[in-house]
Amino acid sequence: MQNYCDIVPDATGWVYVIDGVHSTSYFHTVELAVEAAKVQLLRRGRFHAGVFRRLGVDGKMAPIEMLPKSGIPKAAYHS
């Protein structure tokens, strides 16, 4: 079974959802939400167990591509 960490928009910014539970904090960017989710997964000992996805404008979940070896979302490097 695949574990997902979803990054979704909220009225205040972006939140992450792990195991169906929304983060209690919001983040101004997708990249900050991804980084916070990574920290939470590391605390649970499950960092490599999940797939990061983001809710797109079309309402579908799409995988977040990470830069090789860095774990940084590619979107962080788009201008």
Side-chain angles (χ1 to χ4, degrees):
M1 184 167 110
Q2 194 75 300
N3 291 317
Y4 293 101
C5 177
D6 295 332
I7 309 298
V8 296
D10 183 69
T12 55
W14 294 89
V15 296
Y16 61 81
V17 181
I18 299 173
D19 297 332
V21 179
H22 286 70
S23 59
T24 56
S25 300
Y26 73 91
F27 305 92
H28 294 289
T29 66
V30 170
E31 293 81 19
L32 289 174
V34 168
E35 290 304 312
K38 285 181 188 179
V39 170
Q40 185 63 22
L41 288 170
L42 282 171
R43 287 182 181 158
R44 296 180 183 188
R46 297 177 30 199
F47 179 67
H48 296 291
V51 172
F52 288 88
R53 304 184 303 178
R54 159 187 183 168
L55 185 63
V57 293
D58 60 359
K60 296 180 182 177
M61 298 305 290
I64 296 175
E65 294 184 48
M66 304 287 185
L67 292 173
K69 296 184 182 178
S70 71
I72 298 172
K74 280 186 176 181
Y77 289 95
H78 292 215
S79 51

